[in-house]
Amino acid sequence: MSYKAIVKSVISGDSLVLRGPAGAQGQPPKERVLHLADISAPRPGTISREDEPWAYESREFLRALAVGKPVTFTTLHSLPPNDDVQRDIGNAEINGVDLASELLKNGWAKLKELKREPTEEDHRKKDLEAEARAAGKGVWNPHGPKARQVHHMMPTDTQGFLSEWKGKSIDAIVEQVKDGSTFRVRLILPEGDHQFVNLALAGVRAPRVSSKPDETSEPFAEEAKFFTESRLLQRAVKVQLLSVPNMTPTPFQASSSSPAPTAATIYIGTVLHPAGNIAEHLVASGLARIVDWHAGMLANVGGMERLRAAEKAAKEKRVNLYANAPAAASKTNGAVANGNARTFDAIVTRVWSGDQISVVEKDSGKERRLQLSSTRGPKLSDPKQAYYANEAREFLRKRLIGKHVKVHIDFVRPKEGEYDERECATVRYGNQNSNIAEQLIEKGLASVVRHRRDDEDRSPDYDKLMAAEQAAAAEQRGIHSGKEHPAPKQPLNISESSHRATPFVNGFKRQGRIPAVVDYVAAGSRFKILLPKDNQVLTLVLGGIRAPRTARNPSEKSEPYGQEAADFATRRYMQRDVEIEILDVDKSGGFIGALYLNKNENAAVTLVKEGLATVHGYSADTLPWAKQLYDAEAEAKAAKRRIWEDYNEEAEQAVEVPQDSDGSALKPEYLDVIISDVRTTNGLNFSVQILNTEGIASLEKLMRDFSLHHKTVSTPAAGFVPKAGDLVSAKFSDGSWYRARVRRASPVKKEAEVTFIDYGNQDTVSFKDIRPLDPKFRGLPGQAHDARLSFVRLPQENSEYYPEAVDRFRQLCEGRKLVANVDHREHLSANHQLLHLRLIDPSDPAAQHDPLACINLDLVREGYARLDKKGAGKYLAAYPQVVKRINEASRDAKRERLGMYEFGDIDDDE
């Protein structure tokens, strides 16, 4: 009785594996082994023994003749089964051709010795064998088989073998199908040697087939195996080796102490049959899923695009593994779940980390914080990753900050635990429309997120990202290098205190404009600046302007337009490459100066022009760009921008401020001064020199000439007796001569009380140390101006707090360049006036933002001064805002029991 089957494979030149029709419910078909009767062929080798001569050629002849074809066979004798596989001895025909006869005819088998009487058929086969022997065919070839090495085990040096053959097309035969995507193949190398290797298909994974009796195969595993087996088993194919699993360590796992990689047990590659790529057919039939991390291996051949197309088709048909696949989400250019535009143009305003940025939509002006889709940057909190975290952040900053980008929101990651909801986007920039995430990963400065198999929320360029990561790993770039970099040192904060900041000022002034990066925007005119070259940070306060105050905590309230000024400065200057110019330092350690964007944009001028800051009179007047500031403010006023929205030019012009009236406010008059003398008798009085004037410059020259003059004039003029009011030359206690005016003289004691007119200090000098003032030194007026604090007075001289108050005044004023505003001029005589001054420390941060901030107010706030209703009574009513602030400061001092209020309130006469 004859049977029909399909030749599944060929064991040797005389044995075949046959399979029947597929079983019910996807069960694999039954198999049987058929040994061809009366012939024997050379036995192929195994791991433990070599091939017999001509074994490979004999098997190849029968393989090419029979595999995959329908066969008709008869069984003559049954053998004991092996692993439940039926074994028979018999005859087989393909299309009427007897296989045993073909083998004998071509010399690839020999007749066995018969133990029965030969039949006519036996004689015919004997003649076929004799003809082949006479012709020297097959095993009868007198020259013997071609010498070759057959390596049944994986190469010992798997990485070296891969390096030699990677990407090359190698002829091969699939010898075994372990599951739908895992094979054992015989590589037929060009030199003739054979190398057996285990191979996993690149880009896909079929369900796993159980290898033990008590295991269960994964769903559709048997179907996938049969699908591949029926198409590839013992077929001639082309193989490309691409990689080995875990060829390189994952980021930050490699180090100099890492153990050497062990030999791989399998390669990853492609198998190409004349009919196509089996991987694509498996996916299209729903019998394999795509392996995302193989994308890099297939990048050069475009394999992933074809696999994705096959996957899409399988999902649409819902076949096999994709029977329960969710419907593909429709991702259009409409609105996402949170109501925002999905695709838009934007400007990058901030880089948070190596995978997060903030952008401002061009159309709406709305700021949105974005996560780069499917991208994970190094963690700054991990010491091993901190170096690369900084590198990644800097990479994004240099390429994106302030640049125009195109954003597409791929998905919205919902809030989870401590992580807020985040929009995940693909961000493209430049003329090439480059994906910044792909560039970041290719540089080895980020890795690709491994999404769950069923997670459709991922970058549309996911395969390109994977390819970029593999390229970075292959080149050992960045996080894949295995190099351990120490965590970056924290920049030195040179604005920690005035004591630390001051030594840097002169050096900064000499440098002029200094390259820097805006690290943070604290307020509209206050920035944290990074100096990358020196790894230093400092606080920069823009000189010459005052921006509205911004609330520092929820309990505070911002001044009008304070938050707008901070937001504007953040969007325009945050993380930009800038230049700074340092002019001075304030008493909290902040540096006062200018900030320039793109070489010529002065940030202070821009803020004023936008109506987000006002010009700060006395500090602006000394700046080289003062005119630009005033012009910008005039423009903002005319346009009624922001701060000036209620500005009324006519009303301002209608207000006339009296210039010098005893009871009226004086027009603001800011003077740069230095305290030259402090007098504490009959209340606190002092003398000031007005700086930045021709008088001071002339005084310096005069004093040089004066010193030379007195080296030649050593004796007093004969008969000269100084009297009150005389201008004289007097020797001070330091041994030098100065110009002075005689207050009173005593001919009896031969001494005089004098006031040194250029410094304001007083002394009693002997007649022998007094000379008439030479006329050539009389032309320059005295440079010391008598003054007192406006609005306030210190405690009474007999008070125990008076010395403390005087000491505090000296601490705040002596040896410092100050700014003084003349609030009142008190005329003591025709040629002598006492200036009532409001003293301002330009290094005080409060003075940059508060026009009423002054040392007078500081003394009141500390309990060392109080409102002077008597001495300043003539003009108090003209300055209601100042008086209000003094009263508030006084109440605070009383409440805190500071200074003179240590034991409670005091009466006016105390």
Side-chain angles (χ1 to χ4, degrees):
M1 181 178 178
S2 63
Y3 302 93
K4 293 186 180 299
I6 299 294
V7 179
K8 174 184 175 182
S9 62
V10 172
I11 299 172
S12 65
D14 58 9
S15 301
L16 308 93
V17 179
L18 309 179
R19 62 174 174 83
Q25 298 179 347
Q27 293 298 313
K30 291 185 177 181
E31 298 177 359
R32 67 199 303 166
V33 174
L34 180 67
H35 300 285
L36 296 177
D38 300 331
I39 66 171
S40 67
R43 296 176 65 195
T46 63
I47 294 174
S48 58
R49 58 178 170 80
E50 294 183 357
D51 285 358
E52 292 182 356
W54 303 107
Y56 171 70
E57 290 82 357
S58 174
R59 195 205 72 158
E60 275 299 282
F61 177 83
L62 184 56
R63 181 194 67 78
L65 180 65
V67 169
K69 296 177 181 178
V71 62
T72 302
F73 68 96
T74 57
T75 61
L76 303 176
H77 179 66
S78 293
L79 300 174
N82 185 4
D83 293 332
D84 295 329
V85 176
Q86 183 176 345
R87 297 193 302 152
D88 300 298
I89 296 175
N91 298 313
E93 293 181 355
I94 295 178
N95 295 327
V97 176
D98 180 66
L99 296 183
S101 297
E102 281 297 300
L103 286 161
L104 291 169
K105 178 181 176 181
N106 288 277
W108 295 119
K110 297 179 180 179
L111 279 172
K112 293 180 179 178
E113 185 177 347
L114 299 178
K115 296 180 180 180
R116 67 173 186 273
E117 287 294 322
T119 63
E120 184 179 344
E121 179 66 18
D122 294 333
H123 288 298
R124 188 182 68 82
K125 289 180 178 179
K126 191 71 174 176
D127 292 341
L128 290 174
E129 181 185 51
E131 290 174 6
R133 179 187 297 175
K137 291 182 179 180
V139 298
W140 308 110
N141 188 326
H143 303 293
K146 179 181 178 182
R148 68 170 62 88
Q149 289 284 328
V150 180
H151 305 283
H152 292 273
M153 298 287 289
M154 282 280 288
T156 305
D157 182 7
T158 49
Q159 189 59 55
F161 188 83
L162 176 65
S163 299
E164 181 180 357
W165 296 102
K166 184 176 181 179
K168 297 177 181 178
S169 182
I170 308 172
D171 291 325
I173 296 171
V174 177
E175 297 288 359
Q176 181 186 359
V177 175
K178 298 181 179 181
D179 60 41
S181 58
T182 308
F183 319 128
R184 179 170 169 79
V185 299
R186 179 195 295 259
L187 301 179
I188 303 170
L189 303 179
E191 297 82 0
D193 290 347
H194 293 183
Q195 175 67 61
F196 282 80
V197 298
N198 299 321
L199 185 72
L201 286 179
V204 301
R205 178 188 178 277
R208 182 172 174 273
V209 176
S210 63
S211 57
K212 299 177 182 178
D214 57 344
E215 285 184 351
T216 303
S217 297
E218 294 177 354
F220 298 104
E222 296 292 349
E223 291 87 337
K225 180 180 179 182
F226 177 72
F227 182 93
T228 302
E229 216 170 44
S230 61
R231 289 162 173 78
L232 290 190
L233 184 61
Q234 287 200 338
R235 293 341 190 260
V237 295
K238 297 284 187 181
V239 167
Q240 278 187 324
L241 302 182
L242 301 178
S243 182
V244 293
N246 299 322
M247 184 175 66
T248 56
T250 56
F252 308 113
Q253 287 184 343
S255 68
S256 57
S257 60
S258 298
T262 56
T265 59
I266 193 168
Y267 287 110
I268 300 171
T270 59
V271 175
L272 298 178
H273 185 273
N277 187 335
I278 189 64
E280 295 169 21
H281 292 288
L282 277 167
V283 174
S285 300
L287 294 174
R289 296 186 184 275
I290 291 178
V291 179
D292 294 323
W293 70 274
H294 287 182
M297 306 175 196
L298 299 172
N300 296 330
V301 294
M304 287 304 285
E305 288 85 347
R306 293 192 291 272
L307 289 177
R308 294 291 182 193
E311 181 186 52
K312 182 179 179 183
K315 286 182 176 179
E316 289 174 353
K317 295 177 182 177
R318 296 180 178 274
V319 293
N320 298 327
L321 290 172
Y322 300 105
N324 299 316
S330 177
K331 295 185 177 180
T332 65
N333 289 345
V336 293
N338 56 10
N340 294 320
R342 178 181 286 278
T343 300
F344 55 91
D345 290 349
I347 299 294
V348 179
T349 57
R350 186 167 186 177
V351 175
W352 295 93
S353 64
D355 55 19
Q356 287 189 26
I357 63 174
S358 281
V359 300
V360 172
E361 289 186 42
K362 274 196 168 181
D363 293 339
S364 67
K366 181 178 180 181
E367 186 171 60
R368 296 166 73 169
R369 184 166 174 171
L370 307 175
Q371 167 80 40
L372 298 181
S373 293
S374 303
T375 305
R376 180 176 290 119
K379 293 181 180 179
L380 189 62
S381 58
D382 185 341
K384 288 186 177 181
Q385 303 184 41
Y387 171 83
Y388 292 108
N390 272 354
E391 291 290 300
R393 184 169 177 263
E394 185 67 3
F395 179 88
L396 292 182
R397 188 191 71 79
K398 286 185 175 179
R399 278 160 178 74
L400 295 186
I401 202 73
K403 300 291 196 308
H404 168 262
V405 295
K406 294 184 180 296
V407 178
H408 180 77
I409 305 298
D410 302 319
F411 58 95
V412 178
R413 190 179 66 196
K415 182 175 181 180
E416 186 176 346
E418 61 182 15
Y419 298 102
D420 294 333
E421 179 182 273
R422 182 79 71 238
E423 291 181 311
C424 298
T426 297
V427 177
R428 303 182 186 278
Y429 77 104
N431 295 332
Q432 303 298 320
N433 222 22
S434 304
N435 184 345
I436 189 63
E438 185 178 353
Q439 292 187 343
L440 189 71
I441 292 167
E442 193 172 28
K443 289 285 184 182
L445 297 175
S447 57
V448 183
V449 175
R450 269 51 174 180
H451 293 284
R452 295 191 312 273
R453 188 176 62 193
D454 57 347
D455 186 1
E456 295 295 326
D457 286 339
R458 59 178 66 191
S459 168
D461 288 353
Y462 190 77
D463 294 335
K464 292 181 179 179
L465 300 186
M466 292 298 304
E469 184 178 70
Q470 176 139 345
E475 297 293 329
Q476 295 187 329
R477 301 188 198 118
I479 60 178
H480 309 283
S481 67
K483 297 177 181 177
E484 292 189 8
H485 292 274
K489 292 182 179 179
Q490 287 296 317
L492 175 67
N493 182 7
I494 61 175
S495 285
E496 194 174 68
S497 65
S498 178
H499 178 73
R500 169 166 281 185
T502 301
F504 291 92
V505 174
N506 289 335
F508 286 154
K509 284 182 177 180
R510 286 194 295 270
Q511 291 183 58
R513 292 194 181 188
I514 305 167
V517 176
V518 177
D519 195 48
Y520 182 69
V521 178
S525 60
R526 196 173 187 87
F527 304 86
K528 181 181 178 183
I529 301 294
L530 172 67
L531 304 180
K533 182 179 177 181
D534 301 312
N535 197 31
Q536 297 171 338
V537 291
L538 58 85
T539 298
L540 177 71
V541 181
L542 299 182
I545 68 168
R546 179 185 182 275
R549 187 182 179 87
T550 307
R552 289 173 293 183
N553 55 63
S555 63
E556 289 187 359
K557 187 177 181 181
S558 295
E559 292 181 357
Y561 293 103
Q563 191 58 50
E564 288 86 342
D567 291 345
F568 177 87
T570 298
R571 292 183 179 184
R572 195 166 188 84
Y573 304 114
M574 182 71 173
Q575 294 183 325
R576 298 290 190 96
D577 288 313
V578 296
E579 292 179 323
I580 62 170
E581 190 173 355
I582 301 301
L583 305 174
D584 208 342
V585 66
D586 63 30
K587 66 181 183 182
S588 68
F591 290 86
I592 301 169
L595 183 147
Y596 297 93
L597 178 67
N598 300 328
K599 299 289 186 182
N600 54 16
E601 180 186 322
N602 186 318
V605 175
T606 301
L607 284 162
V608 172
K609 187 181 292 185
E610 292 292 330
L612 293 171
T614 56
V615 178
H616 197 241
Y618 70 83
S619 62
D621 291 341
T622 60
L623 299 175
W625 55 89
K627 184 178 184 303
Q628 297 177 48
L629 290 174
Y630 285 115
D631 290 346
E633 188 173 63
E635 180 183 327
K637 286 179 177 178
K640 294 189 175 183
R641 294 187 186 129
R642 297 181 174 95
I643 290 174
W644 307 107
E645 61 180 348
D646 297 324
Y647 173 69
N648 187 325
E649 184 177 3
E650 294 180 359
E652 184 181 80
Q653 291 175 349
V655 176
E656 295 183 2
V657 180
Q659 291 297 308
D660 193 5
S661 171
D662 282 348
S664 302
L666 298 182
K667 183 178 181 180
E669 181 184 359
Y670 294 109
L671 307 171
D672 290 324
V673 301
I674 187 169
I675 305 293
S676 57
D677 183 54
V678 177
R679 298 178 294 279
T680 59
T681 305
N682 298 322
L684 176 70
N685 288 279
F686 50 91
S687 296
V688 297
Q689 289 180 335
I690 301 175
L691 307 176
N692 302 326
T693 62
E694 292 183 5
I696 290 297
S698 300
L699 177 63
E700 292 176 358
K701 182 177 183 303
L702 181 146
M703 291 307 299
R704 288 194 297 270
D705 296 341
F706 203 58
S707 177
L708 291 173
H709 172 77
H710 282 281
K711 287 181 180 178
T712 59
V713 180
S714 58
T715 57
F720 174 68
V721 178
K723 57 183 182 295
D726 284 350
L727 281 175
V728 297
S729 297
K731 183 185 285 189
F732 189 52
S733 56
D734 63 359
S736 298
W737 293 82
Y738 300 92
R739 300 192 303 166
R741 185 182 299 277
V742 178
R743 298 179 66 224
R744 63 175 64 89
S746 173
V748 176
K749 295 182 179 179
K750 295 188 179 299
E751 62 183 20
E753 293 181 15
V754 299
T755 298
F756 294 95
I757 63 173
D758 294 314
Y759 299 94
N761 46 341
Q762 300 173 357
D763 199 4
T764 300
V765 183
S766 172
F767 280 1
K768 67 182 178 63
D769 291 329
I770 298 176
R771 308 281 187 272
L773 185 63
D774 191 286
K776 66 182 179 182
F777 298 119
R778 291 173 176 263
L780 181 68
Q783 295 301 301
H785 303 269
D786 288 339
R788 58 154 288 178
L789 292 173
S790 55
F791 305 111
V792 302
R793 64 179 174 87
L794 270 55
Q796 297 290 346
E797 287 183 58
N798 59 1
S799 168
E800 61 180 300
Y801 299 103
Y802 183 68
E804 290 183 27
V806 172
D807 287 345
R808 183 57 177 153
F809 174 81
R810 291 181 185 275
Q811 290 173 10
L812 293 173
C813 298
E814 284 190 331
R816 294 173 181 263
K817 289 182 180 180
L818 303 174
V819 174
N821 182 57
V822 181
D823 293 309
H824 181 68
R825 298 177 187 271
E826 183 179 349
H827 297 282
L828 302 179
S829 65
N831 298 318
H832 186 201
Q833 65 178 0
L834 182 67
L835 302 178
H836 289 233
L837 302 181
R838 201 181 325 166
L839 298 177
I840 302 164
D841 182 357
S843 67
D844 183 359
Q848 298 293 325
H849 307 288
D850 184 358
L852 298 181
C854 59
I855 290 173
N856 311 45
L857 197 60
D858 291 342
L859 289 169
V860 174
R861 191 177 291 112
E862 295 176 17
Y864 290 124
R866 60 193 307 193
L867 190 67
D868 188 2
K869 296 178 181 179
K870 183 178 180 181
K874 289 184 178 180
Y875 57 88
L876 288 180
Y879 298 92
Q881 292 298 321
V882 178
V883 173
K884 180 182 177 182
R885 288 288 294 277
I886 291 174
N887 287 330
E888 290 174 354
S890 183
R891 285 195 294 270
D892 291 343
K894 291 176 182 179
R895 185 174 60 252
E896 299 293 330
R897 298 292 182 93
L898 300 177
M900 70 178 86
Y901 304 110
E902 181 180 6
F903 300 107
D905 201 354
I906 57 175
D907 297 329
D908 284 343
D909 58 352
E910 287 187 83

